[in-house]
Each structure stands twice: as C-alpha cells, then as structure tokens.
Amino acid sequence: MALINPHINFNGNAEEAFIFYKSVFGGEFAKIMRFKDLASPEFTVAEGEANKIMLIALPIGKNVLMANDVPEIMGRTNENEHRSKISISAESKEEADKLFKGLSAGGQIEMPIGDGPWGTYFGMFRDKYGIEWMVDFDPKHNGTEKTPNT
C-alpha cells in the first residue's frame, strides 16, 4: 500500500516547528538540508536565506512528515488557509490524548477531543504554527474492540 507523507511550507520557522513536532512524536530527523547546502555558482542563495530549511523530514511510524521554508523571493505562504488538515489515526485513546494535548499546546482548539458523532474518539485544532490537525482513535479499526465474529 502506498504511504501518504504530508509536506508543509513554512515562512522561515520550519526548524522551530519541527523541533516542536519531534518533542511530541519522538524519533529523530531523517534529513535536514538548508538552502546553503545547495549553494553553487549556478544556484546562489541570499545571505538571509542560507540557514533556512530546504527540506526537513521526521519519520512518524511508516510515514514521514516533511517541510521547508519558502524563500522570501517566492512570497509568503498563507498561514490561515483552510484547505487541508493533517489527520493522525492513533493506536489507542491514550495516544490520541497525548498527541492532541502535545500538538495543540499554544494553538486553537476547533473541536475538543472526545467521543465523536460517528463513533470515533476525535478532535481538531490549529497548532501554534497555523497547521491544522485532526486526531482520532477508532477502536473498530485498531483491533481493540471485538466484533461479533471474533
């Protein structure tokens, strides 16, 4: 099965955000590349952009959360967009609570985590970096609830 690996654009604070995400998810960065790492006579990098993130990758389970800083010459990314959310399916209610509490710290909660109307444990928020997240735990899909035939 194919994996989906979200990639986020930041306005110069990708490293700060990913240090925060790493504090919640754990693990180690698989890659950190800065714009200065690609600098050459053919690809000049402005002094103010040199230490910004070209690519950062944090493995989370079998998936990888990735990001970069958008160079100022390309304009600013819209930090208030409402077109997408990163959805996390937790393996337990406790993990869902931990991730929701950790990632939403300093952000804005849209829907507190709790029993959702469709039978899952669910919550939504925008983190302190403007990224929108959904966290859920569904016991029917995580093997913790017995079905009539098991």
Side-chain angles (χ1 to χ4, degrees):
M1 177 61 79
L3 298 176
I4 295 177
N5 299 305
H7 188 109
I8 307 168
N9 291 314
F10 285 90
N11 290 316
N13 60 345
E15 186 170 16
E16 175 188 335
F18 267 61
I19 289 170
F20 173 71
Y21 298 151
K22 181 180 167 190
S23 77
V24 175
F25 289 108
E28 296 298 326
F29 296 124
K31 183 171 285 209
I32 299 177
M33 290 178 58
R34 298 181 187 283
F35 284 102
K36 68 182 178 184
D37 298 334
L38 301 175
S40 69
E42 297 81 33
F43 183 73
T44 57
V45 176
E47 188 175 322
E49 305 278 319
N51 282 317
K52 289 185 179 177
I53 298 294
M54 173 68 182
L55 176 66
I56 191 165
L58 178 62
I60 302 170
K62 293 181 180 179
N63 300 289
V64 179
L65 182 62
M66 298 179 287
N68 66 278
D69 288 315
V70 175
E72 290 178 20
I73 195 166
M74 295 178 74
R76 293 184 58 79
T77 189
N78 181 357
E79 294 178 351
N80 293 312
E81 63 96 8
H82 293 284
R83 299 182 326 152
S84 58
K85 294 185 187 304
I86 298 174
S87 179
I88 303 171
S89 296
E91 292 183 352
S92 68
K93 202 172 195 179
E94 295 76 23
E95 182 184 42
D97 284 336
K98 176 184 176 257
L99 294 172
F100 187 92
K101 181 179 178 186
L103 290 169
S104 67
Q108 297 175 317
I109 295 174
E110 293 177 34
M111 178 184 284
I113 195 157
D115 293 329
W118 44 89
T120 65
Y121 190 66
F122 178 84
M124 289 190 310
F125 58 92
R126 181 183 292 268
D127 73 20
K128 63 184 175 182
Y129 299 100
I131 305 304
E132 295 186 81
W133 298 81
M134 298 185 299
V135 176
D136 83 308
F137 168 65
D138 186 346
K140 294 177 186 148
H141 292 109
N142 288 295
T144 59
E145 183 178 281
K146 297 236 181 242
T147 58
N149 295 326
T150 59

